[in-house]
Amino acid sequence: MRVTELCHNWSRCIAGPPVQQVEMPHDTPLIATIVAGLGLAFVFGALAQRFRFPPLVGYLLAGVAVGPFTPGFVADQALATELAELGIILLMFGVGLHFSLKDLMSVRAIAVPGAIVQITVATLMGMALSWAMGWSIGGGLVFGLALSVASTVVLLRALQERRLMDTERGRIAVGWLIVEDLAMVLALVLIPAFASLQTGDVAAADPLAAQFGLGLTGVLLLTFAKIGVFMAVMLLVGRRLIPWILHYIAHTGSRELFRLAVLAIALGVAFGSTKLFGVSLALGAFFAGMMLGESPLSQRAAQESLPLRDAFAVLFFVSAGMLFDPASIIREPWPLLATLFIILFGKSLAAFLIVVAFRHPVSTALTISASLAQIGEFSFILAEIGGATNLLPKAGRDLILAGAIISIMLNPLMFAALDWLLPRLERRRADVAATPAPKPAEIPVTPLTEHTIVIGYGRVGRLVGEALQQRGHAFLAVETSEDILKQLKDAGIETITGNAARSNVLRATNPSAAHALVIAIPEAFEAGQIVEQARAANPALHIVARAHSDAEVEHLRSLGADMVIMGEREIARGMIEELDTRPPDPAPELAPQRAAENVQVQA
Ligand code: AMP
């Protein structure tokens, strides 16, 4: 088998020969693996939660428990990891859905150089360690690359749990990850090619290239060509075809078929692109999602794939846990510590410095660093390729595995440290700013008076703003989204940046001198905080708020809103009004009578 083919299934690579199974009565290894994986993940996840650890740690421990290195039941490792790959596909598909080409382009200035510099730094550190352990340069290169690339699943989970996906920090982290993924696609092809340099065996790197008598340069060109064709096909054909299929199915009105179409597209495109173009399953799925993301149905598609995605992501962690031999920690503590140091601190420090050098805030730099301080599925694949090409010694593979498991387990702690550090840093910055002079307002207060404050300039706020503009009323908008803020500034509308629920932001809108406040954000909890503060600042202010349920209406009214408009009720009202414009024909039993009346009149 081709080495590049092997790597698409990292399970097999690492697992080696299939592990001896505990016989099931009907020999149903797939069912046994799913039941044991999900069942134990549930038990361990709940226990972890109980002891205030993230459930993810429980999933990994569940994997260790059903793995071959601990006594008792041993699940089918190859099957478990193959199932986990479904998790990776669905996760990347979800990321693609949320990540438009525009987003990728908007962060390329930082993500591309950032990922490349960080991969280089981490690889060099890994090479230095391997040199100290007396391995070859090729072995060091594979080892270093494996330590440089973060796990997609772990990173996305962390961002999703913290609701960071839609923030700028989240977008940079995902863009960074995509660049890393692309770099790894290249590395996966280049490593066997370089190994073949030593042996002169091109067929090991690419049988097709060998068949046509191409040399190493040929192999490289062929790889680039395949990736290029893949992208061109996706952008030219996929971009039209995929949304078209979903629209067609959506019009059939069958929810079941729609769900099936989403799954078939995600899995089919990922698998097809792996087989046809040699890109990773994750990258194929990402592109499928991205093509679909431009369709208005993308939200629904994301929701439909959510439950399956979560289930299979859990299996990913279980299967990673299965690879871990706890005894390896005691056997070789020092190289392991050095490996962990590179993953947890070396890589993070490099990422931190790069992000800060690009003049992004410290909070962004810290989030990116914490996101990247782990390694995962790509490292497993690289470890296998390194082994198969005889570049990486077995000790290297074990170190990569142990490093991955431990860094994944510690990743939630990195984020906890971030949560602890960020407010302190912010406070210190505020203190430093406060010391020299009388405390300046963080955000200058608007000079407007008798104005209207519009909070949130999305689907609702925008319409209100346009109406105010037409009437010539003075107003300002408060927004968190940088894209919208830029549009507003371009249109010459006064804006205040930030979460309006924060007192310094709201103070800057000058509520005490304002005429009205329109709260057009969907989050009732934040809206409540805004109402409360604004009412305290100005008892005469006319406050109009947006809600989505009767309970929210009640909540906002109790805090001091004059008028709360519930979206759903207004939709119904609009529908009723529309119906009233075209009343139905008279009831059928009246119709013959009317007809008779008409005849009489005519007569
Ligand atoms: P929509 O649901 O389409 O009307 O969009 C709501 C808008 O409100 C989005 O553009 C958000 O960026 C913005 N938004 C949400 N929460 C806040 C907040 N707390 N402060 C300022 N803007 C917000």
Side-chain angles (χ1 to χ4, degrees), residues 72-121:
F73 172 76
V74 176
D76 186 327
Q77 208 158 5
L79 271 183
T81 7
E82 221 169 301
L83 290 171
E85 301 228 18
L86 286 177
I88 300 178
I89 295 178
L90 293 174
L91 262 160
M92 281 307 272
F93 178 70
V95 179
L97 274 177
H98 285 121
F99 203 83
S100 67
L101 214 51
K102 212 177 82 208
D103 283 342
L104 185 57
M105 287 301 162
S106 75
V107 296
R108 70 176 189 280
I110 167 93
V112 176
I116 291 175
V117 173
Q118 184 245 328
I119 289 178
T120 313
V121 172

Side-chain angles (χ1 to χ4, degrees), residues 123-290:
T123 306
L124 288 177
M125 284 194 269
M127 286 177 84
L129 177 60
S130 71
W131 175 75
M133 290 188 287
W135 303 348
S136 70
I137 292 192
L141 186 70
V142 177
F143 184 66
L145 278 174
L147 299 191
S148 74
V149 53
S151 157
T152 310
V153 186
V154 178
L155 186 141
L156 296 181
R157 259 309 176 84
L159 293 182
Q160 275 160 358
E161 259 167 33
R162 272 147 219 280
R163 297 165 177 245
L164 289 174
M165 284 300 277
D166 289 329
T167 63
E168 202 195 5
R169 289 182 273 167
R171 275 202 296 271
I172 295 178
V174 175
W176 196 294
L177 189 91
I178 305 284
V179 180
E180 277 194 359
D181 274 14
L182 284 171
M184 286 308 130
V185 171
L186 270 185
L188 292 181
V189 185
L190 295 186
I191 290 170
F194 282 125
S196 73
L197 245 190
Q198 293 178 338
T199 56
D201 181 10
V202 174
D206 196 322
L208 190 64
Q211 214 173 346
F212 289 100
L214 301 175
L216 188 63
T217 334
V219 176
L220 294 187
L221 287 178
L222 198 65
T223 307
F224 283 118
K226 276 195 213 165
I227 295 177
V229 174
F230 164 69
M231 293 210 178
V233 169
M234 286 312 273
L235 290 175
L236 295 178
V237 185
R239 200 175 190 173
R240 293 200 186 96
L241 189 64
I242 294 176
W244 182 83
I245 297 175
L246 261 208
H247 279 263
Y248 175 77
I249 296 298
H251 284 124
T252 64
S254 162
R255 189 175 182 151
E256 196 176 287
L257 266 186
F258 184 80
R259 204 174 279 168
L260 193 60
V262 173
L263 273 183
I265 290 173
L267 300 177
V269 173
F271 192 71
S273 38
T274 301
K275 287 289 161 209
L276 292 176
F277 304 105
V279 300
S280 69
L281 285 169
L283 198 73
F286 170 77
F287 265 89
M290 203 161 81

Side-chain angles (χ1 to χ4, degrees), residues 456-460 478-481 484 498-500 520-522 526 546:
Y457 215 75
R459 289 161 302 174
V460 179
V478 185
E479 248 302 335
T480 44
S481 151
I484 297 182
N499 181 349
I521 59 172
E526 284 180 348
R546 161 184 175 184

Side-chain angles (χ1 to χ4, degrees), residues 243-384:
W244 182 83
I245 297 175
L246 261 208
H247 279 263
Y248 175 77
I249 296 298
H251 284 124
T252 64
S254 162
R255 189 175 182 151
E256 196 176 287
L257 266 186
F258 184 80
R259 204 174 279 168
L260 193 60
V262 173
L263 273 183
I265 290 173
L267 300 177
V269 173
F271 192 71
S273 38
T274 301
K275 287 289 161 209
L276 292 176
F277 304 105
V279 300
S280 69
L281 285 169
L283 198 73
F286 170 77
F287 265 89
M290 203 161 81
M291 299 301 106
L292 198 56
E294 301 189 2
S295 135
L297 286 169
S298 64
Q299 279 303 98
R300 240 186 93 192
Q303 273 170 4
E304 298 296 350
S305 55
L306 210 65
L308 263 184
R309 188 188 76 185
D310 286 351
F312 283 111
V314 167
L315 284 180
F316 167 79
F317 291 109
V318 174
S319 59
M322 286 172 69
L323 304 172
F324 185 46
D325 176 8
S328 71
I329 299 181
I330 308 157
R331 267 201 314 267
E332 285 196 330
W334 291 112
L336 180 59
L337 275 180
T339 307
L340 279 174
F341 182 82
I342 296 176
I343 301 171
L344 296 178
F345 301 107
K347 251 167 76 163
S348 313
L349 187 67
F352 179 85
L353 293 178
I354 301 160
V355 180
V356 170
F358 273 84
R359 297 185 178 278
H360 281 271
V362 173
S363 59
T364 305
L366 285 174
T367 309
I368 307 270
S369 304
S371 314
L372 296 175
Q374 37 85 8
I375 59 173
E377 61 274 12
F378 267 120
S379 316
F380 301 152
I381 298 171
L382 281 168
E384 166 53 24

